[in-house]
Amino acid sequence: MARAYSADLRRRVVDAAMGGLSARQAAERFDVGTATAIVWVRRFREGGELVARRQGKPRGLRLDPHADYLLGLLEQTPDLTLAELAATLERERGIRVSLATVWTFLDRHGMTFKKRPRMRPSSSGRTSRQPDRSGSRNNPASTGAS
């Protein structure tokens, strides 16, 4: 994302416009966009604002207003999947969101659950107990013992 123009340049453009030039003429003189100069001059006239505003999108999520509802759902049924949460939101609240939005919401509330990765088999011993098979020493039916 591009950086904001300096406060000095903003001040010079606004001063030129307040000194008799139009915003368009001031924009041309200081080599900034016409729309940019018009906005700077309008903001200055309306409220004396010269500083750059924060750039980018606000950090909120569409699900923030529904946080209590979602967290309550997860309290009642903690093993809901992302798809089930998204479907419930659409069905009961009329909100259509992607799975990524649901995941981001849960992540911000510290509610992520990662499954443990499968471990590769051990070369020196069993990693899990195998079921008894016919003919093995562990199955008394296969040895004829009663």
Side-chain angles (χ1 to χ4, degrees):
M1 181 179 275
R3 289 182 18 198
Y5 285 110
S6 70
D8 178 54
L9 178 60
R10 290 168 181 268
R11 166 59 70 189
R12 287 184 284 151
V13 171
V14 169
D15 284 346
M18 300 312 267
L21 291 179
S22 70
R24 292 175 193 277
Q25 291 169 333
E28 190 173 324
R29 174 188 278 180
F30 293 101
D31 197 27
V32 296
T34 304
T36 302
I38 291 171
V39 168
W40 290 349
V41 171
R42 179 178 44 81
R43 286 184 187 163
F44 183 77
R45 285 184 179 147
E46 289 175 356
E49 181 181 346
L50 275 176
V51 296
R53 291 184 176 177
R54 183 175 171 88
Q55 292 183 335
K57 200 173 184 183
R59 296 284 303 166
L61 286 177
R62 286 181 57 201
L63 296 179
D64 286 344
H66 307 280
D68 293 335
Y69 172 72
L70 281 171
L71 296 175
L73 271 177
L74 289 169
E75 236 177 71
Q76 292 173 358
T77 314
D79 60 343
L80 286 174
T81 65
L82 297 177
E84 290 170 337
L85 279 171
T88 303
L89 278 169
E90 185 173 1
R91 183 178 59 250
E92 295 185 11
R93 295 280 176 119
I95 302 164
R96 192 171 201 178
V97 293
S98 69
L99 298 183
T101 302
V102 177
W103 185 89
T104 302
F105 172 83
L106 294 176
D107 184 48
R108 286 188 182 172
H109 286 86
M111 299 190 72
T112 59
F113 176 73
K114 300 288 185 188
K115 293 181 181 175
R116 290 182 55 189
R118 294 187 63 135
M119 304 301 287
R120 63 183 183 84
S122 172
S123 60
S124 62
R126 281 197 226 175
T127 56
S128 64
R129 183 174 173 177
Q130 300 294 321
D132 292 334
R133 290 188 213 129
S134 175
S136 72
R137 285 185 244 163
N138 295 332
N139 187 348
S142 68
T143 59
S146 312

